Amino acid sequence: MGVPSEVMRFGAALSEVPGAARAGTEAAREAAAQLAATPSLAVVFASPHHAEEAPGLLAAVRETAGVERAIGCVAEAVVGGRREVEDGPAVAVWLAALPGEVRTFSLGFARTSEGGVLHGHRLEPGPRAYLLLADPYTFPADLFLRYVDERLPGTVVMGGMASGGSGPGETLLFLDGEVRREGAVGVALEVGVRPLVSQGCRPVGSPYTVTAARGNLVLELGGEPPLRRLTELLERLPPEDAELVRRGVQVGLVIDEYVEDPGPGDHLIRGVLGFDPDSGAMAVGEQVEVGRTLRFHVRDARAADRELREALERERERLGRAPAGALLFTCNGRGTRLFGVPDHDAGLVSDVLGGPPLAGSSCAGEIGPVGGRNFLHGFTASLALFAEEDPAPAGASGPAQLGAALPRRGPGR
């Protein structure tokens, strides 16, 4: 059951008490008290401490909140309010009372001689956004995102790859009253979602035009091998930036080549997978076409903090008030690993945006749009904001059945 007209209401709570069912009950009760309405959706995140009792946890949340539709997962770290619990048991429950229909679904992937087939849910015009949580071992999220962009352009997809499993078969996903170990679970929403994706990198050196490439191999940048360009860059950088490059250089690919001065939100950040010492070619985690603009990037705590802070401040100015609710999907490589202090991303979101009902988890890959297209990211904070005034519905034509053959999957990020 939703709520009348276009009103959206949310509640979120975190419980760190021992015992999965007890923690789920406590968090659901507190979130429901904040909501003060009949929820139409629950999103549930649990730490690995509660994995063995996941079915009882999910049942306790649904019964306490009185909600039928639910998605969620077990995650390495759990976000609730301004907290990110990286160690110790935790359960976060996010409840929403939404106008319109809320449809939960599951997706699977089957490999074929032609590449593979996604199955389990029919894509149709109507949803303005999808929330998606997936198993990193069995579900090719990048293929699904490309499929959505092609068939339903403008539809926002937010979420991430569940981080709570230690290997294949260990991931736990929640769908209504079931616990699943593969594929993906999601929900189609008729309300708009305001996406905010902070990739946490800053550029170093000059931009180059890709003058030769093959698949995910960049053969030339401005007529020279990429390894030579990077070597020249290292000679010019300050020592601290040169050290960051040596630790792990990234590349930023400009999404819209018509943007005159591309900023942080105009680049798709991808990792450098390696160099060929003989040819100087560079392998990156994305297919690269000749003519794309590429710039080397580095990642550090200061850059990640500044980019997220500035993006949140811009969003606060646009909204003019706190959002009604928010979901945060943050990389499991962020947190104390990157910032050296706990609760960085959740605390910053809460402080800058006025403390909306917030829940989420760490992810092994984060989903969100950049430049109007949906991507699977790494080291990103991907934030789904729910505001009273939503953007106009995205146009789309014709249903798309997830059962058609998909192309072979390209190199990973």
Side-chain angles (χ1 to χ4, degrees):
M1 181 184 299
V3 296
S5 69
E6 292 300 312
V7 175
M8 297 185 289
R9 298 175 184 168
F10 302 89
L14 175 74
S15 175
E16 297 178 79
V17 301
R22 181 182 169 198
T25 298
E26 181 177 89
R29 183 180 295 122
E30 183 178 337
Q34 296 175 28
L35 185 69
T38 302
S40 49
L41 174 68
V43 184
V44 183
F45 302 99
S47 68
H49 307 78
H50 297 308
E52 292 186 2
E53 301 176 70
L57 161 65
L58 190 57
V61 169
R62 295 175 73 231
E63 181 179 355
T64 302
V67 62
E68 179 181 358
R69 302 298 181 187
I71 64 168
C73 67
V74 169
E76 183 178 326
V78 172
V79 174
R82 57 178 301 106
R83 295 282 314 285
E84 297 175 31
V85 182
E86 300 180 57
D87 297 301
V91 172
V93 175
W94 187 84
L95 298 178
L98 302 170
E101 185 180 6
V102 172
R103 290 176 288 151
T104 51
F105 60 86
S106 64
L107 286 169
F109 176 72
R111 297 191 180 278
T112 70
S113 59
E114 298 301 319
V117 173
L118 289 169
H119 57 85
H121 175 65
R122 182 178 174 85
L123 288 179
E124 296 178 321
R128 296 166 67 178
Y130 287 99
L131 300 177
L132 189 78
L133 297 168
D135 173 24
Y137 301 101
T138 62
F139 189 77
D142 49 353
L143 291 184
F144 173 74
L145 298 176
R146 287 205 297 271
Y147 200 77
V148 171
D149 286 340
E150 292 170 4
R151 301 302 179 96
L152 299 176
T155 302
V156 171
V157 185
M158 303 293 293
M161 312 302 285
S163 63
S166 58
E170 298 299 318
T171 299
L172 297 182
L173 303 171
F174 307 150
L175 178 66
D176 299 336
E178 300 180 5
V179 177
R180 299 174 175 237
R181 292 183 177 270
E182 61 182 16
V185 299
V187 57
L189 301 175
E190 295 182 6
V191 298
V193 173
R194 298 179 68 95
L196 188 157
V197 177
S198 176
Q199 299 181 84
C201 282
R202 59 181 171 88
V204 290
S206 303
Y208 297 100
T209 299
V210 176
T211 50
R214 184 177 67 251
N216 74 317
L217 292 177
V218 180
L219 306 177
E220 290 183 1
L221 290 176
E224 297 287 347
L227 183 56
R228 182 177 301 170
R229 292 295 191 191
L230 184 61
T231 301
E232 295 170 351
L233 175 62
L234 281 169
E235 294 173 352
R236 300 194 303 267
L237 286 176
E240 59 271 21
D241 282 353
E243 179 59 27
L244 289 174
V245 169
R246 294 187 183 95
R247 290 180 188 174
V249 66
Q250 316 287 314
V251 296
L253 297 164
V254 172
I255 297 172
D256 184 355
E257 295 289 346
Y258 293 100
V259 175
E260 291 186 7
D261 185 19
D266 299 314
H267 290 86
L268 176 64
I269 304 298
R270 287 294 185 256
V272 174
L273 306 181
F275 291 89
D276 182 340
D278 296 324
S279 67
M282 174 176 66
V284 302
E286 184 74 16
Q287 302 288 311
V288 182
E289 301 85 14
V290 171
R292 294 284 296 271
T293 300
L294 180 151
R295 194 171 183 181
F296 290 111
H297 281 65
V298 294
R299 176 178 285 114
D300 61 7
R302 287 179 300 172
D305 174 86
R306 181 172 61 252
E307 185 187 350
L308 179 57
R309 188 181 302 273
E310 291 176 353
L312 289 168
E313 289 172 348
R314 287 193 300 269
E315 192 62 29
R316 182 187 62 191
E317 291 298 318
R318 293 190 188 106
L319 288 174
R321 63 188 182 283
L327 288 167
L328 174 63
F329 306 96
T330 182
C331 179
N332 56 7
R334 291 171 71 99
T336 55
R337 290 185 178 95
L338 178 63
F339 299 105
V341 296
D343 310 325
H344 176 276
D345 290 347
L348 196 55
V349 170
S350 297
D351 290 344
V352 176
L353 295 185
L358 174 67
S361 71
S362 65
C363 300
E366 305 75 55
I367 296 170
V370 176
R373 294 164 53 197
N374 294 295
F375 293 101
L376 179 64
H377 307 276
F379 285 93
T380 294
S382 186
L383 184 67
L385 298 173
F386 295 79
E388 291 299 334
E389 294 182 4
D390 298 314
S397 59
Q401 175 65 44
L402 286 184
L406 294 171
R408 292 186 182 276
R409 191 180 186 188
R413 57 188 175 86

